[in-house]
Amino acid sequence: MDRTVEGYLAQLRQQLAGSDPALTQDALYDAEEYLRSALAEAHDHPAEAFDSAVEAYGTPEEIAASYRGAELTVRAALKPPAPRSNRSPLSRFFGVAADPAAWGALFYMILAFATGIAYFTIVVTGLSLTAGLLILIVGIPFALLFLAVVRAVSFAEGRIVEGLLGVRMPRRPRNVGVQGDLWTRVKSWFTDYRTWTTMLYMLLQLPLGIIYFTVLVTGFATSVATIMLPAIQEAADSPVIRIGEYGYLIEPWAYPLLVVCGLLGLVVMLWIARGIGYMHGAYAKAMLVGTVEQGQQWAADAATSQTSASSQSTAGDAPGGGN
């Protein structure tokens, strides 16, 4: 194994290939934080310090197996009880009123309107000021600050998505993974595709938030108004449905039908919110974290880079390799 933090992380990513990308991000962050802290405390003999840190923390194979096992345990503990298979279609339809996923998605659709405005403002303002200030010396620090804010927003949005939509998102920030001077670290931020997909996600959150809020308000307002129409007509003692100069009086026999239609509309809106929450959760994970296929590609690239580095090191240590 390459006796560097980068080599360890490359092997750990390779061992976690095919796992949930959120799990991979958590494992990489924890490993990098531990190893770099251990090496920072050892000023002499970094190779021996690295071996001691790996011995105490665990090999990439052991850590990958540990995180996979812990993930299965947590999923089993947090998994909601399975619904009874013998329920009738009617009970399953109305059962959405007691489904936490539907209510979580409902609250997310309301929150998305506010976060969409905030995210859109951050990206548009940040990109505009960065482009305008790049000609000045203060432009580079501002660009770094803007990228740091984007990464922080990505992590915060992930926690919201996991809390309300139930989609597994990273519980640790993105690991640095690259050591070197400031330019090397900044370059890694720019070459990380998730930086740009996060910006795109933040921009698209505004129109999506407007759509979610509009669908929610329109659907629930229409359903509640349908339920309240009989009571409003009785209180006003006059037609409440008017088109132009004509008023339409609701017959008393139609009162129960209106109430039933309004209640059905509320249940249908919960199903719509549940579906939107499921689709947005998958979309958020793909944009903010990545997919399993992309994680496998990262692992393959990391293995290739590690093999290339090892070959160069071997060539340099061979007789005459330095000449």
Side-chain angles (χ1 to χ4, degrees), residues 26 35 51 55 101 107 153 164-165 178 245 272 293 310 317:
D26 292 345
L35 293 177
D51 293 339
E55 183 178 358
F107 289 125
V153 168
L164 294 179
L165 303 183
V178 177
E245 299 179 355
I272 292 175
E293 290 75 14
S310 300
D317 294 337

Side-chain angles (χ1 to χ4, degrees), residues 267-303:
V267 176
V268 169
M269 283 304 304
L270 285 175
W271 277 106
I272 292 175
R274 191 175 187 273
I276 290 177
Y278 176 81
M279 292 186 294
H280 189 92
Y283 155 75
K285 186 159 189 173
M287 296 288 283
L288 300 178
V289 187
T291 62
V292 173
E293 290 75 14
Q294 289 164 338
Q296 292 173 337
Q297 183 60 44
W298 289 343
D301 293 342

Side-chain angles (χ1 to χ4, degrees), residues 73-303:
T73 303
V74 172
R75 282 187 180 180
L78 298 180
K79 185 178 181 180
R84 291 179 301 171
S85 58
N86 58 350
R87 290 198 308 170
S88 65
L90 191 62
S91 63
R92 288 198 295 268
F93 174 75
F94 286 102
V96 71
D99 187 356
W103 291 102
L106 185 70
F107 289 125
Y108 182 83
M109 291 172 67
I110 298 174
L111 184 63
F113 181 69
T115 57
I117 296 175
Y119 295 168
F120 187 88
T121 303
I122 290 173
V123 173
V124 171
T125 304
L127 289 177
S128 301
L129 291 178
T130 300
L133 294 175
L134 279 180
I135 59 176
L136 304 175
I137 192 172
V138 74
I140 295 179
F142 185 85
L144 298 180
L145 176 63
F146 172 58
L147 291 179
V149 170
V150 169
R151 292 166 69 92
V153 168
S154 174
F155 179 71
E157 175 67 9
R159 304 312 305 140
I160 296 174
V161 168
E162 181 169 359
L164 294 179
L165 303 183
V167 178
R168 173 65 162 95
M169 298 293 282
R171 293 156 191 166
R172 304 285 191 276
R174 297 178 196 167
N175 67 309
V176 177
V178 177
Q179 286 294 100
D181 56 13
L182 179 62
W183 171 246
T184 302
R185 299 167 73 92
V186 171
K187 183 180 177 182
S188 70
W189 284 13
F190 276 103
T191 55
D192 186 355
Y193 84 97
R194 290 175 299 177
T195 300
W196 306 104
T197 55
T198 298
M199 290 187 196
L200 180 60
Y201 177 92
M202 293 170 67
L203 289 173
L204 294 178
Q205 190 72 351
L206 177 59
L208 286 177
I210 293 174
I211 293 173
Y212 295 163
F213 190 80
T214 302
V215 170
L216 196 65
V217 170
T218 303
F220 276 95
T222 302
S223 300
V224 172
T226 303
I227 295 173
M228 296 299 297
L229 272 179
I232 296 174
Q233 180 174 285
E234 289 296 326
D237 197 21
S238 64
V240 294
I241 301 177
R242 293 186 175 275
I243 301 178
E245 299 179 355
Y246 299 95
Y248 296 88
L249 187 67
I250 303 172
E251 296 293 336
W253 62 265
Y255 289 175
L257 293 178
L258 288 174
V259 174
V260 170
C261 288
L263 292 175
L264 288 175
L266 293 177
V267 176
V268 169
M269 283 304 304
L270 285 175
W271 277 106
I272 292 175
R274 191 175 187 273
I276 290 177
Y278 176 81
M279 292 186 294
H280 189 92
Y283 155 75
K285 186 159 189 173
M287 296 288 283
L288 300 178
V289 187
T291 62
V292 173
E293 290 75 14
Q294 289 164 338
Q296 292 173 337
Q297 183 60 44
W298 289 343
D301 293 342

